Amino acid sequence: MDIKTIIEKEIKLGYHDSAVFGGFSVFLSNWAQEQQLTDIRNLAQQYGGASLLQRPQLLEKIIQDIPAAAQRQPLPEKQHQAAEVPAASTLNIPLVNLPHIGAKKAELFRKLNISTTGDLLEFYPRDYRDRRTITKIQDAPIGAQISIRGSVISSEIQRTRGKLTILRCYLRDETGIIPAIWFNQPFLQKRFYTGRELIVFGKVERRFSRIEMIVEDYQLAEDADCAAAGIVPVYSSCEGINQKTIRSAVSAAWRMCGNGVELADIVPQQLLDQRQLLPRREAIRKIHFPKQPEDIIQAHRSLSYEEFLTIQLAILSNKPSQQLQAVRPQQLRSDQEILTAFTSILPYSLTNAQTKVIKEIYQDMNAAQPMMRLVQGDVGSGKTAVAAAAIAKCCLNGRQAAMMAPTELLASQHYHNLAPLLEQLGLRTALLTSSTTSQEKRQILAQMADGSVHLAVGTHALIQEGVVFADLGLAITDEQHRFGVVQRARLRGNHSADTLIMTATPIPRTLAMTIYADMRLSIIDELPPGRQPVQTFAVDYSYEQRIHAFIAKEVAAGHQAFIVCPLIEDSEALDLASATAYYQRLKEEVFPQLQIGLLHGKMKPAEKAQVMSEFQQGIINILVSTTVVEVGIDIPNASVMLIRDAERFGLAQLHQLRGRIGRGQTQSYCILIHNAQSKIAKERMEIICQSADGFALAEADLRLRGPGEFFGKRQHGLPSLKIADIFADQDLLEAAHRDALEILEGHIQPTAALCQAVADKTALLS
Ligand code: ADP
Ligand code: MG
């Protein structure tokens, strides 16, 4: 990162002095001081105290004053390409300076994101082997992994026809003799001279009639470090670097940095005491060189907490600054009045959960700071009505609202649902998509700018491309879990409008806390009455014909069916090819007498709208699609959802898809055809058949597949975790969340190392 990137970030985040945790202006002024740019330092000092209106000009001036050379200078923060920079501290020593590491090894380590001693120390083990017990040779149990200590009595090398070399080294202790075997490392024979003491770790096997140990790891008894005995760390690795190399590099790094003298505490002392955590130096020592299991537990806890705290602060400091005041004009109508008017136009009465969430939203909309709220509700829980209530409050008080959806299809569905409803309240709604003609578009833009349109519905382009609103008071984003922290901040931009995000992905609470730490959470935990639960079946491909027959029967009874073809790798083109081929087959061979439709992401918006409208009207009986229908589409007459290669989907996604049906009066069926081979894949299929509870499914999925997979490659906005585990360490996460708020509110002083760590993390989130 250079200074320009940070300045750009400050601009993107809306001049809230928030691009760097601890204050952008403080950071900039320190930087200027180091660069000896006095003018800039002075300007930076003014920046913090300047109003939101003055800041853009100030920043403009600062940018002009930065000499081009300084712009490109790396910041005085942690250096990732440390090899080119003189080591400023013992934590910045390039790996090539370590014993046994040359340029080639160093390059391999770089693949693991390790270039310095400091990086090595923060490269935490992923597991441990407990090899504290040394087994006597005569007691060596066959099949077990054990450690043996013995002295070399002789060794031999054997070459097999398969080009394997076998080094067989006879070890003796006071109880017996055992041959220890190394494959393809003949060069070790020199080291293992007669009389030398070894500790070997490996598996004892019976081969032919004799008992041998296949060595996985060893150490010379005289070597104190890089222990193969004791409790031994296991690191994630990559090709070309083995465990021994990493372990000896970590020990060397630890020695070279004076046993970690420079490892400053990131977590403030007060919190270390309060949460009973180890000082950082001790935690890092114990995580790499534990003497007993308790060391690992303590160190893991301390470093996980540190990681959570840093991430929480990085996310929370992307929040609009506390000084940011919402614009709250005189209320024209009371909340009660608005709610009464709103419920009187709804064709049904709100569920208790909907009413509760609307109240939470209204409270936020009356608060001094802009609202930042996430509404979570299972598919079909009625989020649209909740959004409409927020829109009603905003617009009946004379301001404008924007409603954004991830796809044009969904945007147009929202428009068709909301426009007639809001019209009854005297409010005007406009739809802006890429299929809006340029003439219409010009007209709508003009009406948004003069305030005669109250609600604008569209995709995210709505507020990203500088569309001008006369007075935007509320920005709603639907199905927004695909967006990261920084994108949320960008969405918010520098307007002080209220923000409401609606998601159907039932994010487990702990996960929500991590990725939505900057938002408040409302949950619609109740479905509207009278829903028939969907019956779900998982079958393999041998059932395909029977399923086709079943669909034919449902269609004959007047219903419709969705068929979803999966995501194949990350390629839209491949998805499309498979969906298209299957569509052709259905049309020509399987259901020649029925109307089959095809919907995919590469179609023009107008074509998509055409197909959707034909499906909605019942002209199309069976709709084959790629996952574009995943979100939101409402077809009450559809009674079958068939999902092909279902094992490729996340459970949350399958649940979403299933939520497309079961919206009418008749019994609906979700059929999952799958190729699940692994135990986990089969277990996932079973879980989805048995549970209709989105939250339970999400938790199960998270447990079985991990958070990255949970959202799918295309959708996560998650910071990756080095050591902490959002499931196993839930209590720590909650503690870190509360402590982060304390720090932000100024009750606890952050350490300098914490500010730096948060800045690094924020850069990763961007
Ligand atoms: P989602 O939360 O998935 O976005 P929708 O807002 O699309 O759900 O609502 C799903 C369906 O439920 C819609 O047809 C809507 O009209 C209906 N609905 C919403 N709230 C209620 C309610 N309180 N009682 C009855 N039906 C409702
Ligand atoms: Mg919806």
Side-chain angles (χ1 to χ4, degrees):
M1 283 240 288
D2 54 21
I3 195 76
K4 243 180 101 196
T5 319
I6 296 228
I7 293 179
E8 276 162 14
K9 183 162 177 228
E10 171 68 10
I11 296 173
K12 263 187 217 141
L13 292 179
Y15 303 96
H16 294 310
D17 201 11
S18 61
V20 180
F21 169 68
F24 165 75
S25 52
V26 174
F27 183 88
L28 184 63
S29 120
N30 289 344
W31 175 83
Q33 175 113 29
E34 270 173 55
Q35 301 279 326
Q36 301 179 335
L37 301 168
T38 323
D39 290 351
I40 294 187
R41 202 197 60 204
N42 293 340
L43 288 171
Q45 283 167 351
Q46 287 172 38
Y47 187 86
S51 76
L52 265 181
L53 287 176
Q54 298 162 324
R55 283 180 182 170
Q57 281 169 345
L58 263 173
L59 207 48
E60 187 68 24
K61 210 148 170 266
I62 290 171
I63 294 168
Q64 281 166 8
D65 282 3
I66 296 179
Q71 281 190 18
R72 281 189 304 273
Q73 285 228 341
L75 293 176
E77 61 179 340
K78 191 170 154 192
Q79 300 302 332
H80 292 285
Q81 294 294 324
E84 293 137 34
V85 183
S89 94
T90 58
L91 298 173
N92 253 338
I93 302 171
L95 285 201
V96 284
N97 297 9
L98 265 58
H100 311 301
I101 296 187
K104 231 173 166 176
K105 276 255 162 65
E107 195 49 50
L108 287 173
F109 269 104
R110 197 156 297 155
K111 282 196 195 150
L112 299 170
N113 277 327
I114 301 172
S115 344
T116 65
T117 40
D119 295 341
L120 262 176
L121 295 185
E122 287 186 17
F123 189 63
Y124 305 131
R126 67 170 163 78
D127 203 357
Y128 297 86
R129 303 274 176 267
D130 190 348
R131 300 180 190 163
R132 285 174 300 167
T133 317
I134 303 265
T135 307
K136 295 294 174 208
I137 290 173
Q138 71 175 10
D139 303 330
I142 290 168
Q145 286 193 315
I146 55 164
S147 301
I148 285 176
R149 180 180 179 131
S151 58
V152 179
I153 48 176
S154 69
S155 62
E156 66 197 27
I157 286 181
Q158 178 193 346
R159 282 172 219 281
T160 69
R161 266 162 303 171
K163 281 192 184 165
L164 201 64
T165 55
I166 299 177
L167 167 61
R168 187 173 286 115
C169 192
Y170 293 86
L171 297 178
R172 172 166 58 198
D173 69 7
E174 64 283 12
T175 67
I177 295 175
I178 193 170
I181 309 286
W182 281 261
F183 294 110
N184 291 336
Q185 298 174 73
F187 49 86
L188 287 175
Q189 193 180 25
K190 271 206 314 271
R191 297 190 85 186
F192 301 158
Y193 50 77
T194 306
R196 201 155 204 192
E197 286 252 326
L198 299 182
I199 298 171
V200 292
F201 172 83
K203 196 166 175 192
V204 178
E205 287 184 1
R206 186 196 297 278
R207 304 220 306 166
F208 306 108
S209 63
R210 62 178 166 190
I211 291 173
E212 298 178 332
M213 169 180 264
I214 312 297
V215 178
E216 283 173 26
D217 208 347
Y218 73 95
Q219 84 173 89
L220 303 173
E222 72 243 36
D223 269 355
D225 349 293
C226 64
I231 297 178
V232 181
V234 180
Y235 297 90
S236 311
S237 185
C238 66
E239 210 174 309
I241 305 187
N242 64 27
Q243 290 297 321
K244 224 174 167 57
T245 308
I246 300 177
R247 286 205 306 262
S248 72
V250 171
S251 324
W254 178 251
R255 269 179 278 122
M256 283 184 82
C257 70
N259 297 344
V261 272
E262 285 186 76
L263 288 170
D265 277 331
I266 286 181
V267 178
Q269 187 62 46
Q270 181 186 343
L271 292 171
L272 287 180
D273 295 343
Q274 201 176 318
R275 303 282 174 207
Q276 297 181 313
L277 305 170
L278 298 175
R280 184 153 210 267
R281 182 178 174 188
E282 209 176 318
I284 288 190
R285 180 173 63 79
K286 287 187 169 168
I287 205 86
H288 292 296
F289 318 111
K291 293 269 184 296
Q292 51 212 3
E294 292 71 51
D295 289 349
I296 302 172
I297 295 169
Q298 275 185 328
H300 195 278
R301 217 176 96 82
S302 304
L303 295 169
S304 299
Y305 173 89
E306 175 192 300
E307 183 167 39
F308 280 145
L309 185 69
T310 314
I311 288 177
Q312 289 290 302
L313 283 169
I315 294 177
L316 286 166
S317 49
N318 266 304
K319 248 167 85 153
S321 82
Q322 293 293 315
Q323 296 99 304
L324 183 59
Q325 296 288 318
V327 180
R328 301 275 182 233
Q330 187 67 44
Q331 290 241 19
L332 304 175
R333 305 228 222 151
S334 76
D335 288 355
Q336 198 47 57
E337 227 178 304
I338 289 168
L339 213 50
T340 310
F342 176 69
T343 47
S344 74
I345 57 165
L346 279 181
Y348 44 77
S349 42
L350 292 169
T351 62
N352 289 333
Q354 283 170 318
T355 309
K356 177 195 73 181
V357 172
I358 291 170
K359 287 217 167 101
E360 288 165 353
I361 292 171
Y362 277 18
Q363 252 167 29
D364 283 2
M365 290 176 77
N366 293 330
Q369 258 123 48
M371 167 165 72
M372 269 303 276
R373 188 168 283 278
L374 176 70
V375 173
Q376 252 181 43
D378 213 343
V379 273
S381 61
K383 292 184 291 296
T384 318
V386 169
I391 294 165
K393 173 167 163 66
C394 170
C395 299
L396 289 177
N397 279 314
R399 308 191 69 202
Q400 288 168 295
M403 172 96 167
M404 290 155 292
T407 65
E408 305 220 326
L409 218 63
L410 254 184
S412 100
Q413 177 169 304
H414 277 317
Y415 172 77
H416 291 292
N417 284 335
L418 290 170
L421 198 65
L422 295 170
E423 194 168 310
Q424 297 175 59
L425 295 173
L427 299 171
R428 284 195 52 205
T429 305
L431 175 66
L432 260 186
T433 67
S434 58
S435 43
T436 317
T437 65
S438 55
Q439 195 195 342
E440 279 173 328
K441 197 165 174 176
R442 226 173 302 128
Q443 197 184 354
I444 293 173
L445 288 176
Q447 291 171 336
M448 280 154 71
D450 71 19
S452 52
V453 159
H454 301 99
L455 170 68
V457 182
T459 61
H460 295 103
L462 252 192
I463 65 170
Q464 281 165 338
E465 284 167 14
V467 175
V468 179
F469 289 86
D471 183 16
L472 184 67
L474 173 67
I476 302 178
T477 308
D478 192 18
E479 313 287 0
Q480 216 245 347
H481 56 274
R482 294 141 207 263
F483 293 84
V485 179
V486 173
Q487 278 158 307
R488 288 204 294 278
R490 199 168 302 160
L491 215 85
R492 201 157 56 220
N494 54 2
H495 61 74
S496 56
D498 289 320
T499 303
L500 191 62
I501 294 179
M502 326 277 282
T503 176
T505 305
I507 304 163
R509 220 175 78 77
T510 38
L511 188 55
M513 216 155 137
T514 320
I515 55 180
Y516 293 115
D518 52 340
M519 311 197 70
R520 304 173 97 180
L521 185 62
S522 288
I523 299 175
I524 310 180
D525 51 6
E526 181 187 357
L527 293 181
R531 293 276 163 86
Q532 286 230 31
V534 175
Q535 284 190 29
T536 308
F537 305 95
V539 295
D540 63 34
Y541 275 89
S542 67
Y543 284 76
E544 192 168 32
Q545 269 196 336
R546 263 182 274 181
I547 290 166
H548 287 156
F550 177 74
I551 292 177
K553 209 178 85 198
E554 282 293 304
V555 172
H559 303 308
Q560 289 167 285
F562 281 105
I563 299 182
V564 177
C565 299
L567 236 69
I568 298 168
E569 303 184 334
D570 256 346
S571 154
E572 177 93 5
L574 281 178
D575 292 358
L576 190 52
S578 88
T580 311
Y582 183 64
Y583 161 77
Q584 291 294 350
R585 201 180 116 211
L586 289 184
K587 208 166 119 127
E588 285 155 21
E589 298 167 25
V590 187
F591 302 119
Q593 74 286 11
L594 299 181
Q595 289 301 315
I596 319 287
L598 177 65
L599 195 66
H600 60 74
K602 281 266 150 60
M603 287 163 71
K604 295 207 180 78
E607 293 170 340
K608 277 193 231 170
Q610 175 68 27
V611 172
M612 270 326 289
S613 131
E614 285 178 16
F615 193 48
Q616 226 143 13
Q617 293 166 49
I619 301 170
I620 290 176
N621 308 111
I622 300 171
L623 182 66
V624 178
S625 77
T626 56
T627 41
V628 288
V629 293
E630 180 189 336
V631 276
I633 293 185
D634 217 2
I635 312 281
N637 190 41
S639 65
V640 180
M641 167 65 64
L642 170 61
I643 302 169
R644 293 169 62 80
D645 288 2
E647 78 281 1
R648 293 174 191 262
F649 294 82
L651 290 186
Q653 216 178 355
L654 290 175
H655 181 64
Q656 282 259 48
L657 288 168
R658 178 168 62 183
R660 299 298 112 232
I661 54 171
R663 296 187 164 219
Q665 297 307 309
T666 53
Q667 177 62 54
S668 298
Y669 305 90
C670 175
I671 302 163
L672 310 170
I673 304 198
H674 66 89
N675 262 319
Q677 303 292 338
S678 72
K679 194 164 154 267
I680 288 186
K682 286 181 182 150
E683 197 178 333
R684 292 176 54 242
M685 291 299 115
E686 232 164 79
I687 292 173
I688 181 97
C689 290
Q690 280 158 19
S691 176
D693 175 347
F695 277 83
L697 284 169
E699 299 250 349
D701 216 15
L702 200 52
R703 238 177 267 273
L704 291 172
R705 306 207 306 172
E709 286 287 309
F710 173 69
F711 285 105
K713 275 200 207 86
R714 297 173 180 177
Q715 311 182 1
H716 67 78
L718 265 184
S720 70
L721 297 170
K722 263 190 171 175
I723 185 164
D725 176 325
I726 44 173
F727 258 106
D729 309 322
Q730 280 188 31
D731 56 327
L732 275 183
L733 173 55
E734 283 169 28
H737 179 76
R738 284 196 298 274
D739 297 343
L741 290 173
E742 289 285 298
I743 291 174
L744 284 173
E745 283 163 16
H747 304 313
I748 298 172
Q749 191 63 30
T751 60
L754 180 58
C755 296
Q756 184 62 60
V758 173
D760 289 347
K761 192 64 80 186
T762 309
L764 288 181
L765 292 175
S766 312

